[in-house]
Amino acid sequence: MKKIILFASGSGTNAETIIRHFATRETAKVTGVYTNNPNAGVIKKANDLYVPAVVFNRVEFESSEFLDNIKQQQPDLIVLAGFLWKIPAHFIAAFPHKILNIHPALLPKYGGKGMYGMHVHQSVLDQKETETGITIHLVNEHYDQGAFVFQQKVSIAACKTAEEIAQKVHELEHTHFPTVIETQLLSQQAN
């Protein structure tokens, strides 16, 4: 069975959806959740679903010991599910093509440093876009510039607030992220 490690910084709705998805599958399971936020809602969600949650700080995250700990777990895929820190180059080098991120917009639009969550949705609203969506991509050394794995659009022509846009994007995330992760794992197996 394949192993998935999740990194998250916030409420953990995507992490919960992913954990629940793989709890019923033979292909993979989520073996741990890592967060940089000691107050993140993802901790309780992971614990409630019997997945260990680990809190770490910036110094730990950038250390070789942290990387060694992750390597020892031999994850087949590392998934960023609302994780806000940039992944260090040495970490990316250790897991080439094995770190997947989701972005709440149609990249390359509305990506880059500082573009996450409601910042993205407000920018999309301010620019009077009629559609937005999600982009799932591999992680490289630059924010939101890794190779795209999947994109899905949704109409937001009727949306009047960033919160309404966020709701539509969350629905896309919860519908597609787990299945794209599963497809990614199966394509690894085929190679």
Side-chain angles (χ1 to χ4, degrees), residues 31-99:
T31 58
V33 172
Y34 286 76
T35 183
N36 58 311
N37 179 357
N39 301 310
V42 74
I43 298 167
K44 181 175 183 341
K45 286 182 171 75
N47 289 334
D48 288 350
L49 295 168
Y50 307 103
V51 175
V54 177
V55 179
F56 59 88
N57 62 36
R58 177 77 69 181
V59 173
E60 290 167 329
F61 182 54
E62 294 177 356
S63 72
S64 59
E65 292 83 7
F66 185 86
L67 177 58
D68 289 344
N69 175 275
I70 300 294
K71 282 182 181 174
Q72 286 169 8
Q73 297 176 58
Q74 300 179 318
D76 295 284
L77 202 60
I78 296 169
V79 176
L80 311 184
F83 184 68
L84 300 182
W85 287 355
K86 189 174 182 183
I87 304 298
H90 71 279
F91 201 101
I92 295 166
F95 296 101
H97 311 293
K98 288 190 174 186
I99 307 174

Side-chain angles (χ1 to χ4, degrees), residues 6-10 12 14-15 18 42 79-83 100-102 177:
L6 302 178
F7 279 72
S9 297
N14 272 321
I18 293 163
V42 74
V79 176
L80 311 184
F83 184 68
L100 204 58
N101 185 38
I102 190 164
F177 204 12

